[in-house]
Amino acid sequence: MRGRPKNNEEVRKKYTMEFDDSKWYYDLDKFVNGPYLVEMIDPKFDKIEKLYNKLERLQTPKYHENGRKKRTTKADKIKMENVERAYWKEHYRLFPEDRPKKRGRRRTNRINS
């Protein structure tokens, strides 16, 4: 053999980097150019993130063992509506500029005499 001998070093393909406000997940088999997932750790947004995950979990369809889709019952729909209402309430509390503008005419308090 000619030249310098090889160093048998293993390349880490899967690792995480933790910072004080975020976690960066790397997997070079999934995505070579950078992290495939970045989790922001902020206690201010914990509640809205939990509500979002709960809403996503409720909206995904459930299946029987034989592969048929289960029905969405009235109780499930009520749960989804309540979680969605709580999610948007929390969203507008954190981001008041996103609140939709009120449409229509303004009411005037006139006394007809």
Side-chain angles (χ1 to χ4, degrees):
M1 291 177 95
R2 298 176 64 191
R4 188 174 185 185
K6 279 187 184 178
N7 292 337
N8 291 333
E9 293 181 12
E10 290 186 24
V11 178
R12 287 182 16 200
K13 295 209 174 214
K14 197 171 188 181
Y15 58 96
T16 60
M17 294 178 72
E18 294 189 28
F19 300 101
D20 54 345
D21 63 340
S22 63
K23 277 186 179 180
W24 295 51
Y25 295 91
Y26 292 88
D27 189 354
L28 299 179
D29 293 331
K30 278 187 184 180
F31 190 66
V32 181
N33 297 332
Y36 69 92
L37 176 67
V38 176
E39 279 185 352
M40 302 303 287
I41 302 167
D42 192 357
K44 180 179 175 184
F45 299 111
D46 278 348
K47 184 176 178 183
I48 196 166
E49 194 171 332
K50 285 179 185 174
L51 285 170
Y52 178 77
N53 290 336
K54 186 174 184 179
L55 185 62
E56 287 293 313
R57 190 178 68 245
L58 286 172
Q59 286 178 343
T60 54
K62 282 110 180 132
Y63 294 96
H64 290 284
E65 290 178 8
N66 61 3
R68 291 188 60 176
K69 191 173 167 184
K70 285 187 179 179
R71 283 191 182 155
T72 305
T73 61
K74 190 173 184 179
D76 293 339
K77 288 181 182 178
I78 290 171
K79 281 182 192 174
M80 283 195 292
E81 287 176 8
N82 290 340
V83 171
E84 191 171 4
R85 195 175 300 123
Y87 172 80
W88 285 111
K89 183 178 179 183
E90 183 68 17
H91 179 84
Y92 293 140
R93 186 182 70 77
L94 293 172
F95 306 103
E97 68 275 3
D98 288 349
R99 188 176 295 277
K101 294 179 182 171
K102 296 187 179 178
R103 314 274 301 184
R105 287 187 165 176
R106 286 192 174 205
R107 289 187 174 180
T108 56
N109 294 333
R110 289 192 206 167
I111 300 173
N112 295 332
S113 354

